[in-house]
């Protein structure tokens, strides 16, 4: 963030246009003509154009965490993130391990976006129960944050549990 402004807004030119604030791009995952390499090349181009971030949604397409790892390795300045990872289809420990690893590879540029998704994603695609209660998301976020903080896990919530686990390395943002 820019210390000169409350929100980090800076007037600058991005791809020839004057911009005030932060500007990110979501990659076009629904285009069947784009290969994974095309999307990585697009992330590099987004960085070259002066954007602040590139984000990968997780639905109907490639795995968001795998592709943001490729973005992180191919770029050097912009934020790389998910928009969003569907909570009901991954355990919080798996998400925390993956996101901490990507954060480490990207030198702290990774941003994890989480959301509840929808019935089709959870039930139809993965055969899992879909019960979009806020308590589930709150507990999930708490577990991910505590794992990133390298706490010894002994979490027993209303919906989720995570016990006898501690992340084996210090994530970049915690250093």
């Amino acid at each position: 963030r820019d210390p000169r402004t409350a929100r980090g807004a800076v007037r600058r030119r991005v791809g020839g246009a004057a911009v005030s604030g932060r500007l990110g791009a979501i990659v076009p995952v629904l285009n069947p003509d784009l290969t994974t390499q095309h999307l990585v090349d697009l992330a590099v181009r987004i960085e070259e154009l002066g954007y602040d971030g590139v984000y990968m949604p997780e639905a109907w397409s490639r795995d968001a965490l795998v592709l943001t790892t490729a973005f992180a390795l191919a770029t050097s300045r912009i934020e790389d993130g998910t928009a969003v990872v569907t909570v009901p289809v991954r355990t919080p420990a798996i998400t925390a391990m993956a996101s901490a690893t990507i954060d480490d590879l990207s030198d702290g540029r990774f941003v994890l976006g989480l959301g509840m998704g929808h019935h089709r994603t959870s039930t139809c695609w993965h055969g899992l129960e879909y019960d979009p209660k806020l308590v589930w998301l709150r507990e999930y976020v708490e577990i991910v944050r505590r794992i990133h903080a390298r706490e010894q896990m002994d979490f027993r919530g209303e919906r989720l549990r995570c016990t006898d686990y501690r992340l084996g390395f210090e994530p970049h943002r915690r250093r």
Side-chain angles (χ1 to χ4, degrees):
R1 291 187 183 242
D2 186 332
R4 298 171 293 172
T5 61
R7 296 184 180 259
V10 178
R11 289 205 59 81
R12 64 184 190 284
R13 298 199 78 70
V14 175
V19 174
S20 179
R22 292 175 43 82
L23 186 62
I26 295 176
V27 295
V29 296
L30 294 180
N31 184 334
D33 297 326
L34 294 178
T35 66
T36 300
Q37 187 59 55
H38 287 135
L39 296 175
V40 172
D41 293 343
L42 181 59
V44 170
R45 183 67 181 136
I46 287 167
E47 180 175 61
E48 290 169 351
L49 288 171
Y51 283 73
D52 298 300
V54 60
Y55 307 96
M56 176 67 191
E58 182 173 81
W60 301 99
S61 188
R62 293 160 183 91
D63 184 275
L65 293 171
V66 171
L67 201 50
T68 54
T69 301
F71 294 168
L73 293 172
T75 61
S76 61
R77 179 192 55 79
I78 61 173
E79 200 171 75
D80 305 293
T82 59
V84 303
V85 169
T86 306
V87 164
V89 302
R90 296 180 193 261
T91 70
I94 292 290
T95 299
M97 285 187 287
S99 59
T101 302
I102 301 167
D103 181 65
D104 196 42
L105 284 169
S106 69
D107 293 327
R109 295 179 292 122
F110 179 72
V111 175
L112 177 63
L114 298 171
M116 288 304 296
H118 50 80
H119 180 268
R120 176 183 250 170
T121 305
S122 297
T123 305
C124 299
W125 297 359
H126 296 282
L128 300 171
E129 172 189 353
Y130 182 69
D131 187 19
K133 292 192 171 126
L134 191 54
V135 67
W136 191 349
L137 186 59
R138 282 185 187 141
E139 290 179 0
Y140 196 99
V141 169
E142 182 175 346
I143 291 169
V144 170
R145 283 183 174 162
R146 288 173 62 181
I147 289 173
H148 283 178
R150 298 195 67 230
E151 292 182 23
Q152 179 64 42
M153 290 302 300
D154 187 20
F155 182 89
R156 298 169 200 276
E158 180 182 323
R159 178 79 186 168
L160 299 170
R161 285 183 312 176
C162 184
T163 61
D164 196 30
Y165 178 74
R166 183 172 180 201
L167 189 63
F169 67 98
E170 186 79 18
H172 191 276
R173 287 185 190 227
R174 306 286 311 172
R175 294 182 195 149

